[in-house]
């Protein structure tokens, strides 16, 4: 290798090293890291994996329910749905530990650095006060009740308009499904 090529290689190596150092996060002081860890514990962000699983599983169960609606006798439909729900529950029981484990593994390298970088120690302390607040806990305990009450009220208020539209949608989907399975 010529001296010119060696010089170019050395410059490239130095550039890559400098880029790596520039991208490296500054070390987090232990006191600040303790605050970040406390927030992560209170926040329960590792549940995001389970939440990510619940949506497609719920969709699959809903699709199964819709597929069986009007296509199977009530007793067969109920038995099939019972099996589908049991399968979905089994899947969640098996997959949830995997996603929670993945989240627990990745939080320190993804979320924790963001908290440490974007919040001061004082802001982290304030956030802990909010997350530990009895008022917040009381409010969160009421969320399911409020969602249920609002959902029931919205359903009652819109039933006359939405139910016929929903029925029409189901009929159109049923026609398409029948057309797709009919030779």
């Amino acid at each position: 290798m010529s001296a010119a090529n060696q010089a170019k290689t050395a410059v490239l190596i130095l550039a890559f090293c400098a880029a790596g150092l520039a991208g490296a996060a500054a070390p987090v002081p232990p006191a600040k890291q303790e605050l970040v860890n406390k927030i992560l514990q209170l926040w329960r962000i590792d549940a995001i994996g389970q939440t990510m699983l619940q949506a497609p599983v719920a969709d699959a169960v809903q699709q199964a329910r819709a597929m069986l609606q009007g296509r199977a006798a009530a007793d067969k439909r109920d038995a099939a749905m019972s099996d589908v729900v049991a399968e979905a529950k089994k899947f969640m029981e098996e997959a949830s530990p995997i996603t929670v484990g993945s989240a627990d593994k990745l939080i320190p390298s993804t979320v924790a650095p963001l908290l440490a970088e974007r919040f001061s120690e004082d802001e982290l302390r304030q956030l802990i006060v909010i997350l530990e607040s009895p008022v917040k806990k009381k409010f969160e305990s009421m969320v399911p009740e409020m969602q249920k009450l609002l959902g029931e009220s919205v359903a009652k208020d819109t039933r006359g308009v939405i139910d016929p539209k929903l029925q029409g949608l189901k009929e159109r989907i049923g026609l398409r499904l029948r057309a797709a399975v009919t030779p």
Side-chain angles (χ1 to χ4, degrees):
M1 186 183 293
S2 71
N5 284 340
Q6 287 178 342
K8 286 180 185 177
T9 303
V11 169
L12 285 173
I13 291 171
L14 288 173
F16 284 122
C17 289
L21 292 175
V28 178
K32 189 172 192 179
Q33 188 61 52
E34 273 187 52
L35 295 170
V36 167
N37 292 344
K38 178 75 172 180
I39 288 169
L40 293 172
Q41 176 191 12
L42 292 169
W43 188 15
R44 296 270 311 134
I45 192 172
D46 61 346
I48 196 169
Q50 189 167 10
T51 302
M52 290 172 55
L53 284 177
Q54 287 172 341
V57 170
D59 285 347
V61 170
Q62 184 61 30
Q63 287 174 3
R65 181 174 285 117
M67 187 70 162
L68 292 170
Q69 193 69 29
R71 291 184 161 218
D75 59 331
K76 288 185 178 184
R77 181 187 64 231
D78 293 345
M81 280 310 301
S82 179
D83 290 345
V84 166
V85 169
E87 286 293 329
K89 183 177 178 183
K90 179 181 175 188
F91 172 84
M92 288 298 296
E93 289 170 355
E94 291 173 356
S96 290
I98 296 167
T99 59
V100 169
S102 177
D104 286 343
K105 176 180 74 175
L106 295 171
I107 286 169
S109 64
T110 57
V111 177
L114 284 177
L115 289 171
E117 175 187 322
R118 297 190 186 167
F119 288 89
S120 68
E121 286 189 37
D122 186 51
E123 289 171 327
L124 292 170
R125 282 188 205 91
Q126 290 176 43
L127 189 51
I128 289 170
V129 169
I130 291 168
L131 292 172
E132 289 180 328
S133 164
V135 172
K136 178 189 173 287
K137 290 176 183 172
K138 182 178 181 179
F139 176 77
E140 287 176 340
S141 73
M142 290 178 55
V143 167
E145 179 183 355
M146 292 185 295
Q147 287 175 332
K148 180 181 177 197
L149 179 62
L150 178 61
E152 289 170 351
S153 298
V154 168
K156 182 178 176 184
D157 186 52
T158 62
R159 184 166 284 124
V161 175
I162 296 297
D163 280 358
K165 291 179 182 287
L166 186 57
Q167 187 59 37
L169 173 65
K170 288 178 182 179
E171 289 171 7
R172 289 188 303 276
I173 290 171
L175 288 172
R176 290 214 169 90
L177 290 173
R178 282 190 286 283
V181 297
T182 303

